[in-house]
Amino acid sequence: MIVLKFGGTSLESVDSIKEVKEVITSKSGGRIVVVSAIGKTTNQLQHMAELARTGDTQYISVYEQLHDQHAEIISLLLDISFHEKVEAIFKQLRRVCDGVFLLKELTKRSLDFILSAGELLSSNIIASYLKKEGEQVNLLDSRVFIKTDDTFGGAIVDFHTSNGLLKQALETSSKITVMGGFISSAPNGESTTLGRGGSDYTASIVAAALDAEILEIWTDVDGLMTADPRMVKHAQVIDEITYEEAIELSHFGAKVLYPPSLKPCFEKDIPIRIKNTFNKQTDGTLVSSGTDDDQLVKGITSLQNVSLISLSGTGLLSIPKFTKDFFATLAQHNLGVEFITQSNAEHTITIGLASEDAENAYHVLTKNFESHIADGLIDPIGIERDLSILALVGKNMKNQVGVSGNMFHVLGRNGVSIKAISQGSSERNISAIVKKADLSKSLNVLHEAFFQYEVKRVNLFIVGVGNVGKAFLEQLRTQSFILREEHRISIKLTGVANSQKMALDEEGISLDKWKDTLDSGDDFDPKWFQQKIIELNLRNSIFIDITAAKAIADLYPDFLQKSISVVTPNKIAATESFISYQNLKQTARRYSSQFLIETNVCAGLPVLSTLSDVVRSGDHVHQIEAVLSGTLNFLFNEYDGSRKFVDVIKQAKEEGYTEPDPRMDLSCEDVKRKLLILIRESGYAFEMNEIALEAFMPSSCQNTTSMEEFYKQVEKQEDYFKKLYQKSKENGTRLKVVAIFKDGKATVKLSEIWSEHPFYHLEGKDNIVLFFTDRYKEQPLVIKGAGAGAAVTASGIFADVLRLSQPES
Ligand code: ADP
Ligand code: ASP
Ligand code: MG
C-alpha cells in the first residue's frame, strides 16, 4: 500500500489535474490518494466567510467565482455540465454562508464547516475523473474515518479510533482510494479541520494507520529545499533528510510540509518522499530515519513576522514563581512560543512569538503582572515588533564547533544586528532574531555561506564612469563568466551613476547596456543615490567611487556605518585631517565594512595591500622613497625639448595618464597626497601640511583659474622647462619628482637622478616605491610598475572588489 498526497498547487488547473492522474496511474496496487482543495480554494472560502460575517454582500460574488471555477474544471475534465454531488456541496455551502451573513457571526465551528467544502469538492471531482478514465476508484468521506475532538480550527486527532476505522476500510484494498485531506469530524459528527496545510497531516495519519510502504507528497517544487525558494533564489533541493531535521525545518516556515504531519510516519518509520508533480523525473527529497550525510547545515528556515516580549526586573531573581506564572499565562491563552532566552545576570526572560500572538501575549501578561509591576518588582512588560526569526537546521551541527560563530560573523559582516540567539536543546537548530527588514538579506548571506557550492552574489554601486569607470565595467563584463563559473562569485552592477544621471536595479543592470540604462535613469543626486542603496539593504554591497569629487567622498562614513564597503581611487577622504582618516578606518572596523583604497597610490600596483601585510605582520616602516606620479614620470621621460612641454602635458591628458585636472599632477599636490597615504598606512599620524614641497612649476603657472590659462602660462615658460632638461642632460642625470619620508620628515621635490640610482631606469609612466623596514633594512622592499592609466587603475579597483568578494571560509 502506498499513500500519495497532492496539494492544492498540483490541482490548480485541468492540465495539472491531468499530471496528477499520470502519477496515480503510473503506479500499481493499492493506492490511497489524499487531495487538498483545488488551488487556493481554502483561502477563498475563508475570505468569503469573513465577508459574510461583516455583512458584506460581496461574499456572494466570491461564492459564484468558486462555483464557476469548479464548474469549468468539471466541464473540461468530465464533459458534463452538472455534477450532482458537487452541486449539493455548493448548495449547502451557500446556505451556511447566508446564515453567517444574517447573524453576522462566524464561529470556529461554522468556519470549519465552510472550509471543509474545499476538500469535499476536490475529492469528488478527482474520483469522478479517474473513474471516467477507466480506473477502479473508491471515494471516501474523510470525515467518517479521521476522528478528532471538537477543537474547531485545529482539532486533536483521536488516533485510536481513526486508525481502527482506516484499517478496517482500507487495509486490504487493492484499488485507488480517493479522500480529501485536512477534514475530519468531532465525536458528534460535525466537521472539523486539522489546521491550515493539514492535508499533509491526513496523508501521514493514513500512511501510518495502514503501515504504508511510503508516503509521497506531490507538490510544485522539486522537494524540500535548503531555504524557502521564494526568499532565496538559489535554494537547492535536499536529497535526504531525517525526520527530526525535517520537523525543525518545517517548524518555522517551510510551508511545503505541515509540521505535525511528520510525526505519524516518523513513529512508524515510514519513508516520506516529496516530489514535484510538474517535474516527475527528479528524485525529490527523501525523509527517513537514517541518513549518513555529513552535511553540516541542512537548511535555513524562517518566520517573517515575530515580536519579542521580555519580562525583567530584580524581583525575578528571588521569586522563581514569576517565571512559572509567565509561561503558565501563555499556555492558558494557547499562545505558542517560538523562541526563549534567559539572562540571569540581567534578570530577564525574552521570548519570541508570531506577531499576531505577541500582541495578545503582551496584554495578558501586562494584566497578569499588573500588581507586581505597580510594586516595582517587575518592569513593565517589554515588546519589540517588526522582527523575524531565522534558524539553521542540521543534525551534524552538534558535533561541530564554530557554526554559530560563523553564522554571526556572516550576519555581522553584512550589517545585520542580532537581537537574540537561541540554540535548541536538540542542538539541531540555532535560531536568531533579526530585524524584519534584514530577513531577506540574512537568509541569502547565510545560504551563500553554508551551502558552499552556491554562488556568492556581490552588489556593486558605482559613481563615475569616465575613462577608469568604463575600463572597470568592461573588465567586469569580460570576467564575469569566469568569476561565476570558477570562483563562484556573481558580481552584479546594481547601481550606476555619473554627474548627470543615476540608475538602480536590484536584479542587476546589464553590463552590455549599462550606458543606455544610465542615460534613461533619474537625475543624479548623491544623497538620494545613497539613500536608495541603503534602503535596498542588499547583501555584500560595495560602493565604488571613481570620481575625484568631495561630495562623493563625503558619503563614505554613512556607507561604512551600514556595513557597505567602499572601494575608491578618490584620494580626498584618505588625505583629509588625520582625525577624519582615523575615524573612517574606525567606522569601517566597527561596522565590519572595509575602506579599500589600493588605487589611491600607484594605480593598480599592489602597494597598499603589500604595505598592509608588512605592517600587520609586525614589521615597522622607517623610510620610504618613491616616484609616485606616473604622469610626471611620463612628462619628464617624454620631454626632450624637441616639442613643447605643454604639448607633452596635453598628450598625457588625452591618453588618460593624468588626474581629471592635470594641474593636480603638475603642482605635485597629487604626489603629496600619495605620500601622505603611504605614511599614514605605515602607521604614522601625519598631516598634509607637514610635507615639505619644493615646487618646480614657475609661479606664473600656479593658481591659474582655468585650464586654458594654465596651458598658456606653461607654453610661455617653455624656455624654463628646456633649461631644466638641458642641465640634467649635461649632468648625465634624469629628472624625477621624488617623494621621501625619512626620520619623521617628508619631502616632495624634483630631483636629478644619477645613473646608479634605482630610479634612473624608471621608464614611461612607471612608479616605484622603496620601503625600508626592520626586516628590509639594507635592501629595501621594492614595488615597481605601471603607475597610471585607465586600464591598470581599473584592474586595481577590480582587485579590491575581489578582495571583498571572497566566499566565506
Ligand atoms: P501544496 O499545495 O502542494 O501543499 P504548499 O504551497 O503548501 O503546496 O507548499 C509548497 C510551497 O512551499 C512551495 O511552492 C514553496 O514556495 C514553499 N516553501 C517554503 N519553504 C520551502 C522549503 N524549504 N522547501 C520547499 N518549499 C518551500
Ligand atoms: N486546503 C487546506 C489549506 O489550504 C489544506 C492543505 O492544502 O493542506 O490549508
Ligand atoms: Mg501544503
Side-chain angles (χ1 to χ4, degrees), residues 77 368 380 439 503 539 574 680 684:
L77 271 185
N368 192 64
L439 179 64
R539 64 197 186 277
R680 285 177 174 178
Y684 297 90

Side-chain angles (χ1 to χ4, degrees), residues 500-504 515-524:
Q500 313 289 317
K501 293 277 177 186
M502 61 184 184
L504 288 153
K515 278 195 199 99
D516 298 340
T517 311
L518 183 57
D519 286 345
S520 55
D522 296 318
D523 288 346
F524 179 61

Side-chain angles (χ1 to χ4, degrees), residues 38-79:
I38 284 172
K40 302 249 179 324
T41 301
T42 314
N43 286 352
Q44 287 167 284
L45 287 167
Q46 179 132 19
H47 181 51
M48 173 178 69
E50 286 298 328
L51 288 172
R53 183 185 64 81
T54 52
D56 187 337
T57 50
Q58 277 295 319
Y59 79 94
I60 298 171
S61 28
V62 179
Y63 169 86
E64 278 164 1
Q65 240 174 36
L66 273 168
H67 182 270
D68 293 351
Q69 281 161 9
H70 283 80
E72 191 188 344
I73 288 181
I74 288 169
S75 83
L76 292 169
L77 271 185
L78 305 176
D79 291 334

Side-chain angles (χ1 to χ4, degrees), residues 29 68 259 267 337 370-371 379 402 428 435 522 595 614 640 642:
D68 293 351
E267 282 170 1
V337 176
E370 212 169 18
S371 62
D379 300 335
R428 280 188 295 268
K435 276 194 246 151
D522 296 318
F595 176 52
V614 164
D640 60 4
S642 63

Side-chain angles (χ1 to χ4, degrees), residues 330-389:
L330 295 167
Q332 215 177 9
H333 291 84
N334 233 343
L335 295 164
V337 176
E338 302 289 350
F339 177 101
I340 305 175
T341 59
Q342 185 165 10
S343 154
N344 283 338
E346 288 163 25
H347 324 316
T348 305
I349 301 169
T350 304
I351 56 166
L353 300 96
S355 298
E356 59 273 21
D357 285 347
E359 297 304 320
N360 213 347
Y362 174 72
H363 288 112
V364 295
L365 289 167
T366 300
K367 180 131 196 45
N368 192 64
F369 289 109
E370 212 169 18
S371 62
H372 298 307
I373 295 170
D375 293 347
L377 270 178
I378 290 180
D379 300 335
I381 301 288
I383 180 161
E384 199 174 344
R385 302 179 173 87
D386 297 325
L387 302 171
S388 297
I389 186 167

Side-chain angles (χ1 to χ4, degrees), residues 232-287:
V232 178
K233 230 183 183 164
H234 298 290
Q236 316 259 330
V237 175
I238 302 170
D239 298 330
E240 292 193 14
I241 190 166
T242 63
Y243 295 110
E244 289 103 324
E245 286 171 323
I247 288 170
E248 302 271 4
L249 209 53
S250 61
H251 177 66
F252 287 146
K255 186 181 174 228
V256 66
L257 266 186
Y258 180 52
S261 59
L262 287 144
K263 209 160 158 243
C265 283
F266 181 18
E267 282 170 1
K268 287 277 186 91
D269 205 4
I270 295 170
I272 303 174
R273 199 172 270 284
I274 301 164
K275 289 194 55 123
N276 190 344
T277 308
F278 309 101
N279 192 14
K280 301 186 189 59
Q281 64 280 10
T282 55
D283 289 339
T285 301
L286 178 69
V287 187

